[in-house]
Amino acid sequence: SSDLQEILVDKFVKSLKQNDDYLHLPSLSTEGWDAYQQGNYKEALRIFLLLAGPEIYDSQAQHNVAHMYLTGKGTLKDEKKSAYWFTQAAEQGLHEAQYSLGLSYIYGWGVLKSKKDAAYWIRKAYENGNEKAEEIWNDYELWNYEQD
């Protein structure tokens, strides 16, 4: 269950801090990507969750966790958890997450469909340099849903 997972992540973070491995967090991100690319999705998710959680709060890791929940890699597919993690990363300014959250609002992935919310997040993504945002903006005519 998710409660057990949170307890295990907390214990892992505490053990990292006690063993000075906490200083090597960038290498953990690399290990997560390596595990993902090798198809070891459960291990990748474990590492990304460690980096995404409140102790470290890494926006790229949060985006990775969201994508894994959305696609069901290393875990059961869960669009609500995906939307939660996209939101965490998007609020920190990660344009990839802002774009993904905008798509979530367009397609209803774990959230109620909302062109207004989609317009907000797709605009943010565009303003932060996401190259795909302009196409979605135009395809869905999101300017019609912006708040003044």
Side-chain angles (χ1 to χ4, degrees), residues 57-69:
Y57 212 63
D58 180 78
S59 61
Q60 185 62 57
Q62 291 167 340
H63 184 259
N64 298 342
V65 168
H67 186 265
M68 294 180 81
Y69 276 118

Side-chain angles (χ1 to χ4, degrees), residues 79 102-109 111 113 136 140:
E79 291 180 353
L103 291 180
S104 295
Y105 279 110
I106 289 171
Y107 299 117
W109 298 333
V111 293
K113 287 183 181 183
I136 293 295
Y140 288 90

Side-chain angles (χ1 to χ4, degrees), residues 8-18 22 50 55:
L8 293 174
V9 167
D10 286 345
K11 285 184 179 181
F12 186 66
V13 168
K14 286 177 185 161
S15 72
L16 276 178
K17 286 181 177 179
Q18 290 170 354
Y22 200 63
L50 167 66
E55 291 278 336

